[in-house]
Amino acid sequence: MTEHIWDDLLTERDRQVIKKAGYDEAGASSWDSRGLGTDPLVLVIDVQRLVVGEDEPILDAIEDYRTAMGEIAWDAIEEIGPFLDFAREHGLPVAYTRVVPTSYDDPDHEDLDIVETVAPEPGETVIDKSYASAFYGTDLLSRLVRGSHDSVIIVGNSTSGCVRATSIDAQQNGFDVILPQECLFDRIEASHKVALLDLWMKYAEVLERDEVETYVEEITE
């Protein structure tokens, strides 16, 4: 059984509501909000230098980049890297997004680079975006349809921002969403936990990384 990271935030009444309303078993009642699919694409969201920064406490990291998350990001990258290796070994396609802020005149600025530890391999797609959702103003939907994918496994950041927006748009476009919780990060711990709780209740399957890997093994064997 998944040990969800938001459990320590829930009151006893919260737990009762989740159980009595059936969110723990079926998610949202208005649509099929949770599923795993059989042909996923792995989407790595915005793991870039200006977001990651140096491997140091976040309060030090933001001295160089106000958006940097420091060791919070690096802790997740330690999980993302091996997961991407595992996904590739099992034949799953991997795609990336880069956020290109309007404050940057040069889209090739080194600040916008995906960090080398989890950088794309040759031939893997990198989608530039200007807003939170990886679907807005991009060709991601077309790529998923052309590839006959029925689901996305999302890793990266930030849980309460771009991950949340992309997950909701994916679900609303008919794709199952899988979130390996150790492979996601956010600068505010409360935002990270609450966003994952909300996504799990309404839009996505939130699992531990090893559970996602077991699922990948099952669909690729």
Side-chain angles (χ1 to χ4, degrees):
M1 183 176 179
T2 310
E3 294 185 10
H4 289 127
I5 65 170
W6 59 77
D7 285 345
D8 61 331
L9 299 180
L10 300 176
T11 65
E12 182 55 34
R13 188 183 72 174
D14 292 336
R15 298 178 195 279
Q16 291 179 17
V17 169
I18 288 170
K19 185 172 181 61
K20 189 168 184 178
Y23 285 101
D24 55 338
E25 297 292 336
S29 61
S30 302
W31 53 80
D32 295 329
S33 66
R34 289 209 293 269
L36 294 174
T38 59
D39 191 355
L41 175 141
V42 179
L43 187 62
V44 185
I45 296 186
D46 302 352
V47 187
Q48 300 163 248
R49 292 184 61 181
L50 80 166
V51 173
V52 173
E54 298 296 325
D55 190 358
E56 60 189 1
I58 186 171
L59 291 176
D60 296 325
I62 59 179
E63 293 291 335
D64 294 321
Y65 297 104
R66 65 183 294 267
T67 51
M69 302 189 210
E71 63 186 3
I72 293 172
W74 285 103
D75 286 347
I77 288 170
E78 287 183 4
E79 301 282 347
I80 294 170
F83 178 73
L84 294 180
D85 291 340
F86 176 88
R88 292 178 180 118
E89 288 169 6
H90 286 76
L92 297 191
V94 177
Y96 290 74
T97 68
R98 286 192 329 153
V99 62
V100 181
T102 55
S103 56
Y104 280 81
D105 295 328
D106 179 9
D108 295 319
H109 195 287
E110 63 180 13
D111 289 357
L112 307 180
D113 290 346
I114 296 164
V115 297
E116 186 175 349
T117 310
V118 293
E121 294 196 344
E124 291 180 340
T125 298
V126 179
I127 299 169
D128 285 351
K129 65 185 183 70
S130 300
Y131 298 94
S133 174
F135 287 86
Y136 187 82
T138 75
D139 65 350
L140 176 59
L141 178 57
S142 297
R143 290 179 180 275
L144 289 167
V145 172
R146 288 200 306 270
S148 299
H149 299 294
D150 61 3
S151 50
V152 288
I153 301 172
I154 297 176
V155 302
N157 80 106
S158 65
T159 317
S160 62
C162 298
V163 170
R164 178 185 174 91
T166 301
S167 297
I168 292 172
D169 277 358
Q171 204 279 336
Q172 291 178 150
N173 278 289
F175 300 96
D176 289 326
V177 180
I178 303 103
L179 302 175
Q181 62 182 9
E182 300 97 327
C183 298
L184 301 163
F185 59 99
D186 203 323
R187 58 185 49 80
I188 303 297
E189 184 176 8
S191 299
H192 178 58
K193 291 182 176 182
V194 170
L196 279 176
L197 168 62
D198 285 345
L199 287 165
W200 171 75
M201 287 182 65
K202 305 179 185 79
Y203 307 106
E205 189 73 72
V206 180
L207 300 169
E208 295 174 77
R209 178 187 141 198
D210 62 347
E211 293 177 305
V212 178
E213 291 179 351
T214 298
Y215 149 69
V216 170
E217 288 177 333
E218 289 172 350
I219 63 172
T220 57
E221 62 183 9

